Structure formats: C-alpha cells, structure tokens
Amino acid sequence: MSEQIIQPNKKKVLSCIQPSGMLTLGNYLGALKNWVAMQDEFDCTFAVADLHAITVRQEPAALRQQIYSTYALLLALGIDPEKNTVFIQSHVPFHTQLSWLLSCNTQFGEMARMTQFKDKSQKHPENVNVGLFSYPVLMAADILLYKPDFVPVGADQKQHLEIARDIATRFNNIYGDVFTIPEPYIPKTGARVMSLQDPAKKMSKSDENANAWVAILDSKDDIIRKFKRAVTDSEAAVRFREEQPGISNLITIYSAVTGKTTEEIEKEFEGKGYGDFKLAVGETVADTLAPIKQRYDEIIKDKKALEQLYTEGAMKAEYVAKKTYFKAMKKVGFVL
Ligand code: TYM
C-alpha cells in the first residue's frame, strides 16, 4: 500500500469540506473546481469534514444523509478515489487526537479573534459551544497530519489556514520538526462568491433565503430562475465596478465558469441589458453543473460501492495520519 500513497516526486495537497446541507456554487468555484484540477499534478487528500459539522446542531438522520451525499458529490465532480485519498474525517481518529496536542499549544486569544467564530456565535447565541470556539485547531489537525504543501480553499478559510501555519511553526519550534508549513491555494477568480440576494454577504448554504445561493445539484430551471432574480443595480450596464457589487459578483461567476476575463465579458455584453446577461450566466452555470448532477444521481444510488470507497479511503488516510501523529506524540514526550 505504501507505494501507492507515497509519491515522492509530487507535491502534496489537502483540503476538506463540511457536509452541512447542499453544497453551493461558492464551494464549487472557491474550492472544489481546484480540487478536481489539481489531482493530476499533485498527490491529493480530500475529506468530508463531518466532525466540523456538529459545531452547529444537526439532526442525526439528516447529517448521515449529508455525509453520504457530500462524499458522492466529490466523486461526481470527477475526483478519482483511486488516484487520490478521499475519506470521511471521523473515520480517522488521529484528527481528534492530534487536535488535543495542538490545543495545548494554541492560545485562547488566538481563537477568540477568529472572524468566523465571532460571526457564528452571533448567529447562534443559544449554542456557543467549545467546539465552535476550538474548531480551527481541529482544522489545523486535519491539515498537518498529511503534511501538505498546498491547501486549496476559498478566501473565507484564509484566516483558519494562517492559524494552522502559526500552530505548526510554534510546535516545530518547541518540539522539533514534525509538520510541513502549508501554503494556501486560493483561486484568483471565484475565491469569494457572494449571495445573489445580498452581494455584501458570502454565498452560503446556511442562508435562509434559498434564492441567495445556487446548489451544485439544483435543476437547470432553478439555477436560471435564481440568476434572473439576482440583485443588481440601476445602471443596467454589464461593467465590473467595486461600488456595484451585485453585477460585479455575476461577472466574477461568469468569469470563473467560462475562463473569460472581465474585459472580454464586458465586451461580449456591450450594449446589452442585465436581463440578457443574467440569462447567459444562468445558462452557463446550469450547463456546467448538469453533468455533475447526472453523475451524482447515479453514484448516490449505490451505497455499497460508496461504502467500499470511503472505507478504502480511510485506510489510506490513516496510514499517513498515524505516522505524523505518533511522531508528534513522541516529540512531546509521551511513552509509545
Ligand atoms: P466549508 O465546508 O464551509 O467550505 C468548503 C470550501 O468551499 C469554500 N467556500 C467558498 N468559496 C468561495 N465563495 C464562497 N461563497 C464559498 N463558500 C465556501 C471554502 O473556502 C472552503 O474551501 N473549515 C472548512 C472545512 C475544513 C477544511 C479543513 C478546509 C475542515 N478542515 C482542512 C481545508 C483544510 C469549512 O468549513 O469549509
């Protein structure tokens, strides 16, 4: 098995995604699209971060379904579980175990300034749990166990990645070299896809307004309808301007999906109104996502095959994670 995993010539990549509900166009453009693109060049490890999902209350049956669904979606996107390591975070116990070692080397003040913690604790004042607070430490463990060179994420995860680097550097300085210091890999276009209803907010599946976000698995009709209803402004010209975040968000989405530059897009829609542009964005996004949905519908039917793949994925992941974990334990002074 080791020959299959350790590919000394390839740089390593790791990333994870939470299984909290439907994955969005934001997840796709900010992260998943890059995961797919990176799998040929890099030695990749991808996980469904199910342990992270319970920092907010989850209904058990729904959570179980979402974990399956998210794993199936990764395969439907074209991530190859033979070539990469694709697993479910909770199947590899070293994540929570390393998280304890790292917690004891992370300062309370470092966690308290995390913007996502501040946002989420405001959103759920009735459930500001300790897990929500220390979540970036578990994320640091997810990353550091696999010694990746790059971590492809959207812009909202940059702060968490920086703290993972800080924790790793501190640990290495105190105990000796254990962890690789990873670099964030954030796309130039699509790193921050905004809500279609309020372009000041990030597109998020937890948004109560379903018109604010597009799910990767939405139907073509739904996608087009959501883009038609997208909030723009009164100027009615397809031009990228910071002070017009609605139209600029749509241009960014169109650019990320087609690979066209802002200038090319402005030229293409010169003299045309928002209606034409919104329809074009909706259709292009729908056509890009349609084959993914089609593959997903097939893959999710076969739970046995999925089970086999995520079990194998966990075995591959565990092999790597275990080595890093025990090295860290030894350095800290535990008796092995
Ligand atoms: P999560 O599950 O919220 O999001 C998964 C990925 O999607 C990106 N993303 C976006 N990108 C652009 N625009 C948006 N509107 C948008 N919304 C989400 C996120 O940046 C992310 O890359 N804590 C992580 C999951 C995680 C993780 C890790 C990531 C757990 N362990 C280790 C990397 C490495 C999270 O909640 O992402």
Side-chain angles (χ1 to χ4, degrees), residues 3-233:
E3 291 77 18
Q4 202 189 333
I5 298 160
I6 300 163
Q7 301 180 32
N9 303 325
K10 285 190 174 179
K11 292 235 180 208
K12 290 191 196 149
V13 159
L14 172 129
S15 202
C16 309
I17 187 157
Q18 288 200 47
S20 34
M22 288 286 209
L23 303 190
T24 70
L25 181 65
N27 295 130
Y28 178 67
L29 296 178
L32 298 172
K33 192 166 171 263
N34 272 336
W35 295 15
V36 179
M38 291 173 107
Q39 60 179 336
D40 291 326
E41 194 182 334
F42 298 95
D43 176 5
C44 297
T45 302
F46 299 123
V48 176
D50 55 347
L51 293 169
H52 279 89
I54 62 163
T55 53
V56 295
R57 198 92 66 222
Q58 302 283 345
E59 205 275 298
L63 177 62
R64 199 167 295 123
Q65 194 47 45
Q66 284 161 23
I67 296 169
Y68 276 121
S69 161
T70 305
Y71 192 91
L73 189 57
L74 296 185
L75 305 183
L77 284 160
I79 292 170
D80 181 348
E82 300 283 324
K83 226 175 353 178
N84 308 287
T85 300
V86 190
F87 71 105
I88 297 171
Q89 178 194 29
S90 65
H91 291 179
V92 179
F94 301 111
H95 291 241
T96 43
Q97 289 178 260
L98 181 65
S99 166
W100 176 250
L101 292 196
L102 300 181
S103 288
C104 297
N105 289 281
T106 303
Q107 296 303 302
F108 182 90
E110 286 178 306
M111 293 293 99
R113 65 180 165 75
M114 293 289 109
T115 53
Q116 207 168 74
F117 169 68
K118 290 188 213 159
D119 289 351
K120 285 202 176 170
S121 46
Q122 258 171 19
K123 254 196 208 155
H124 302 278
E126 73 300 339
N127 185 21
V128 184
N129 61 76
V130 178
L132 186 67
F133 184 71
S134 61
Y135 156 123
V137 182
L138 179 59
M139 178 162 159
D142 298 338
I143 298 169
L144 300 177
L145 280 172
Y146 300 92
K147 301 187 176 177
D149 299 284
F150 300 108
V151 181
V153 284
D156 64 324
Q157 293 300 323
K158 190 161 178 259
Q159 195 184 33
H160 292 159
L161 211 67
E162 277 161 8
I163 206 77
R165 287 167 54 93
D166 291 348
I167 296 170
T169 307
R170 182 178 310 137
F171 191 101
N172 284 352
N173 286 340
I174 299 173
Y175 302 106
D177 241 13
V178 177
F179 302 122
T180 301
I181 312 300
E183 293 292 332
Y185 188 99
I186 297 174
K188 282 206 179 71
T189 313
R192 203 170 168 76
V193 177
M194 308 310 279
S195 154
L196 298 184
Q197 291 298 312
D198 176 1
K201 282 198 316 201
K202 175 183 92 161
M203 180 183 282
S204 163
K205 53 210 161 197
S206 57
D207 203 310
E208 281 140 29
N209 184 348
N211 285 325
W213 50 280
V214 168
I216 297 177
L217 298 176
D218 269 347
S219 70
K220 182 165 187 170
D221 288 351
D222 280 344
I223 295 174
I224 291 177
R225 183 177 45 78
K226 289 180 188 183
F227 276 105
K228 275 189 180 162
R229 291 195 186 164
V231 167
T232 40
D233 54 77

